[in-house]
Amino acid sequence: MKIQNKNVHHGARFIDAKSISQLIPGIDNIGNDIRQFRSVAYNHNKKLKSDKRSSELNNLAPERFNNTISIIGQRGDGKTSAMMTFIEEIKKGTYFRNDNDDKKDNFNRCDIVTRIIDPDEIGESSDFLGWVMACISEYLDTYSNSNISEDKYYQECIHLQGMHQMTSDLNTKLNNIHKLYTSSKKEYSDLIYSKSNSLNEYSDKFKTMLTNDYQFSQNFRNLITEIINFKREENGRLGYEEIEAEPLIYFFFDDVDTSSKYCPEILINILTFLCHPNIVVCVSGDYEIFERSVTSYLLDTDIRLQKDYKKEL
């Protein structure tokens, strides 16, 4: 979706859905895309559950889904404002339609909506996946005793149905994945090297690190699937049925193009780790800068591409 340049106010702010529809032609059809994502995820997961052979093949080579929504525009065109309004439309379940504007009970409890991640806010000691896992942790924390409200929804679905224990188990698994991820980082490799007293000791520790790195991708995907299963069960208790009960997890990455350090990393990691059928990713940025950043990254990492690129010049 490309933003039409119409002297947009600089500085992120909420904009009403009608104005966003004028700013981004075609965004009022986003509800159809969301329904399509949900339907595909529902049918895919239903097949895996009922067909043992399909499940086995998916474990060997998981099918990758690209449920990515792009908000393209130049600096100051209102991309962040559009993303903020998009999040509100998802939470309300209206998706830029006007027919449900007057309904007060239309809140979307079916999906998991995380907060916006701005690459410029990612510190030197962290990275893209670290923040994604932090968003997941933040979601699971909403079920903790300290955050439970007087809402009847929480009382019935969490306390009476034992949902709190289920999220506690998910938190434990997330912490284990954090450890796998941490042990696969270069900083950990440097640490075990400095703390090793012999080559054999270092080799054993390095072998463990490689195993953890190998296991991380599959374990991360399994965690996402378990969170989806948990949310699907919760949705069933809330009265959602069939496809309506199929949850989606939304991740938002704003102004990815402004960080030359993280731009290629984020795009590559989205295609690598966030290609789950129940994950929807929304990315904003300038397409030309995206293209230049990725081109520069590929030229820096592949000598053959450098030679081919020079020939074309």
Side-chain angles (χ1 to χ4, degrees), residues 200-212:
N200 287 337
E201 182 182 353
Y202 174 72
S203 178
D204 290 341
K205 292 179 179 178
F206 192 71
K207 179 181 178 182
T208 301
M209 188 187 77
L210 293 177
T211 301
N212 291 343

Side-chain angles (χ1 to χ4, degrees), residues 68-105:
T68 303
I69 298 170
S70 302
I71 300 177
I72 304 299
Q74 298 178 350
R75 197 70 170 167
D77 276 355
K79 299 185 295 297
T80 303
S81 297
M83 187 174 285
M84 292 168 63
T85 305
F86 181 35
I87 291 174
E88 286 302 300
E89 290 295 300
I90 293 171
K91 290 180 177 179
K92 291 190 298 183
T94 49
Y95 307 110
F96 299 96
R97 299 191 312 271
N98 296 320
D99 53 324
N100 290 323
D101 284 351
D102 296 329
K103 293 184 180 181
K104 295 182 181 180
D105 59 345

Side-chain angles (χ1 to χ4, degrees), residues 15-33:
I15 303 177
D16 63 274
K18 185 177 180 181
S19 297
I20 291 294
S21 297
Q22 295 173 349
L23 185 66
I24 309 178
I27 198 171
D28 48 355
N29 292 321
I30 198 68
N32 293 328
D33 295 329

Side-chain angles (χ1 to χ4, degrees), residues 67-297:
N67 301 338
T68 303
I69 298 170
S70 302
I71 300 177
I72 304 299
Q74 298 178 350
R75 197 70 170 167
D77 276 355
K79 299 185 295 297
T80 303
S81 297
M83 187 174 285
M84 292 168 63
T85 305
F86 181 35
I87 291 174
E88 286 302 300
E89 290 295 300
I90 293 171
K91 290 180 177 179
K92 291 190 298 183
T94 49
Y95 307 110
F96 299 96
R97 299 191 312 271
N98 296 320
D99 53 324
N100 290 323
D101 284 351
D102 296 329
K103 293 184 180 181
K104 295 182 181 180
D105 59 345
N106 201 41
F107 189 76
N108 176 12
R109 294 196 186 277
C110 178
D111 299 326
I112 300 170
V113 183
T114 65
R115 67 185 185 91
I116 295 176
I117 294 178
D118 184 344
D120 285 337
E121 296 178 357
I122 300 177
E124 290 295 326
S125 60
S126 187
D127 56 20
F128 167 85
L129 279 177
W131 277 52
V132 167
M133 287 187 283
C135 285
I136 295 173
S137 178
E138 191 172 64
Y139 162 70
L140 294 176
D141 284 346
T142 61
Y143 291 88
S144 66
N145 288 324
S146 59
N147 290 322
I148 291 176
S149 69
E150 298 300 322
D151 194 317
K152 183 180 179 181
Y153 161 76
Y154 289 102
Q155 294 175 3
E156 293 183 356
C157 289
I158 298 176
H159 284 302
L160 299 183
Q161 303 294 347
M163 302 297 285
H164 176 63
Q165 181 57 46
M166 296 171 68
T167 56
S168 177
D169 294 340
L170 289 171
N171 255 320
T172 299
K173 292 179 180 179
L174 177 60
N175 289 335
N176 291 334
I177 290 177
H178 266 294
K179 293 176 182 178
L180 285 178
Y181 185 59
T182 301
S183 65
S184 69
K185 304 286 286 182
K186 182 180 181 300
E187 291 79 3
Y188 183 76
S189 176
D190 295 339
L191 178 64
I192 64 173
Y193 177 77
S194 64
K195 296 293 184 180
S196 298
N197 296 317
S198 67
L199 178 60
N200 287 337
E201 182 182 353
Y202 174 72
S203 178
D204 290 341
K205 292 179 179 178
F206 192 71
K207 179 181 178 182
T208 301
M209 188 187 77
L210 293 177
T211 301
N212 291 343
D213 190 27
Y214 171 75
Q215 293 176 343
F216 171 77
S217 180
Q218 183 62 48
N219 286 358
F220 179 80
R221 184 180 182 85
N222 289 343
L223 175 68
I224 294 295
T225 298
E226 290 190 43
I227 291 174
I228 290 299
N229 291 339
F230 158 78
K231 193 69 176 74
R232 187 187 296 113
E233 181 175 343
E234 181 185 54
N235 290 345
R237 293 171 180 176
L238 286 170
Y240 292 97
E241 297 180 357
E242 298 294 329
I243 295 179
E244 282 189 348
E246 190 68 21
L248 298 173
I249 304 178
Y250 292 87
F251 291 101
F252 303 89
F253 305 98
D254 189 31
D255 283 334
V256 174
D257 58 294
T258 61
S259 175
S260 58
K261 175 183 176 182
Y262 290 114
C263 180
E265 175 192 341
I266 289 175
L267 297 180
I268 291 171
N269 279 317
I270 286 173
L271 296 175
T272 304
F273 296 104
L274 302 186
C275 51
H276 193 282
N278 294 77
I279 289 181
V280 178
V281 176
C282 183
V283 178
S284 76
D286 186 317
Y287 180 80
E288 292 183 359
I289 299 178
F290 275 145
E291 188 175 40
R292 288 200 298 269
S293 296
V294 173
T295 300
S296 176
Y297 171 81

